[in-house]
Amino acid sequence: MEMSILLIRANRNEVDQAALASHGVESIVDPYLSISKVNNPGGIARLREALIAPGSKWLVVTSTNALSFFQAELNPGELEQIIQTAPDLNFAAIGAQTEKLLNDLGAHNVLRASEADSDSLASVIAKTEPCPVIIPSSSIAMKSLSRTLITHGFELVEEVIYATEAVTHFPTSVKQIANRQISGVLLRSPSAARAFVDFNGVVDLPVFCAGRTTATQAEVLGLTVSGVSADPSPETVALTISEYLKAHSS
């Protein structure tokens, strides 16, 4: 039987599919989550005003979606101009992909924690001088980053700009999993782990996680975590999955 890995996040599955293919691993895309814009013009205005205000501040990007949705709500080229012209604006990113997006917009010296999760990023920022922190976020964003920074004296300007929800239809892959046609599933967020269990229950299937935070949620839900990627980049995730499949192939 062909080894097929299920990819269930709301978007950008093609980058994981390409990385897995480079290792000879087949994959199936069947999103269990959907994302949509949140109508929050006041929040967008507050984020923008905080970015252009004088003085030192941080722009913290916790996901590629957060940056993309925020950029889409501003005038064309406006975010790039702010990033390239604000002398006291510092940048922090949750992982390599978010760092690259910031780099593409003109950001330099982007801070990244050794572990690509909110707790690690918060601990690194907390070592710097307290100042405003601007965070465009999801409706289900974890609050650990905000809590840590507030306790260290930082002023938070955090606004929900997009929503993440489980899809309203029944994913096709549920039947494939029941029929043992899927070799494993890649989970890239705690919300993905919850959605997977909501649709499938606690099934006996290898689960691969793009980070420790997601793996912890998957384990709490009763899933069997077979691999945790050292970082969330598609290349490292694909290597983690490929090495497991090779080691467990019959």
Side-chain angles (χ1 to χ4, degrees):
M1 183 182 75
E2 282 291 329
M3 294 291 190
S4 296
I5 300 300
L6 177 62
L7 309 177
I8 68 169
R9 64 172 166 172
N11 60 5
R12 292 176 55 79
N13 286 298
E14 67 278 0
V15 295
D16 286 320
Q17 196 160 38
L20 286 166
S22 72
H23 288 276
V25 179
E26 295 290 329
S27 57
I28 296 170
V29 174
D30 189 17
Y32 280 39
L33 297 170
S34 65
I35 54 174
S36 58
K37 165 189 166 182
V38 167
N39 188 28
N40 185 9
I44 295 295
R46 283 186 286 275
L47 293 171
R48 181 187 179 281
E49 288 163 8
L51 278 178
I52 63 177
S56 182
K57 60 265 182 184
W58 286 92
L59 172 60
V60 177
V61 182
T62 57
S63 72
T64 55
N65 288 321
L67 191 60
S68 297
F69 274 94
F70 183 40
Q71 184 180 14
E73 288 298 297
L74 300 175
N75 293 324
E78 184 176 14
L79 184 56
E80 293 93 324
Q81 183 179 18
I82 292 172
I83 286 174
Q84 294 170 27
T85 58
D88 298 319
L89 181 57
N90 303 297
F91 307 96
I94 198 77
Q97 294 178 77
T98 47
E99 179 185 18
K100 183 180 184 304
L101 282 184
L102 279 169
N103 291 156
D104 291 344
L105 294 174
H108 302 291
N109 302 317
V110 178
L111 179 68
R112 233 177 77 205
S114 56
E115 297 290 330
D117 59 52
S118 296
D119 290 337
S120 299
L121 190 60
S123 65
V124 174
I125 298 173
K127 295 175 183 177
T128 66
E129 193 69 24
C131 63
V133 176
I134 298 118
I135 310 177
S137 71
S138 162
S139 58
I140 59 169
M142 298 181 70
K143 300 301 179 184
S144 56
L145 186 147
S146 302
R147 284 196 299 265
T148 299
L149 295 180
I150 288 172
T151 59
H152 284 80
F154 288 79
E155 175 192 344
L156 268 289
V157 184
E158 185 172 12
E159 295 288 343
V160 172
I161 62 171
Y162 74 101
T164 304
E165 299 171 314
V167 295
T168 55
H169 63 276
F170 214 66
T172 304
S173 57
V174 172
K175 185 176 180 180
Q176 293 175 291
I177 290 170
N179 291 333
R180 299 188 175 277
Q181 296 171 321
I182 301 291
S183 308
V185 59
L186 169 60
L187 303 177
R188 280 193 161 274
S189 65
S191 58
R194 292 190 292 270
F196 181 78
V197 170
D198 284 346
F199 283 113
N200 293 284
V202 180
V203 292
D204 182 19
L205 186 74
V207 170
F208 304 97
C209 299
R212 175 43 55 189
T213 302
T214 300
T216 299
Q217 176 69 88
E219 289 166 346
V220 166
L221 292 169
L223 297 173
T224 302
V225 176
S226 299
V228 182
S229 180
D231 67 70
S233 69
E235 295 76 18
T236 307
V237 169
L239 180 61
T240 300
I241 294 173
S242 173
E243 289 180 342
Y244 174 89
L245 294 178
K246 287 177 183 176
H248 292 80
S249 60
S250 54

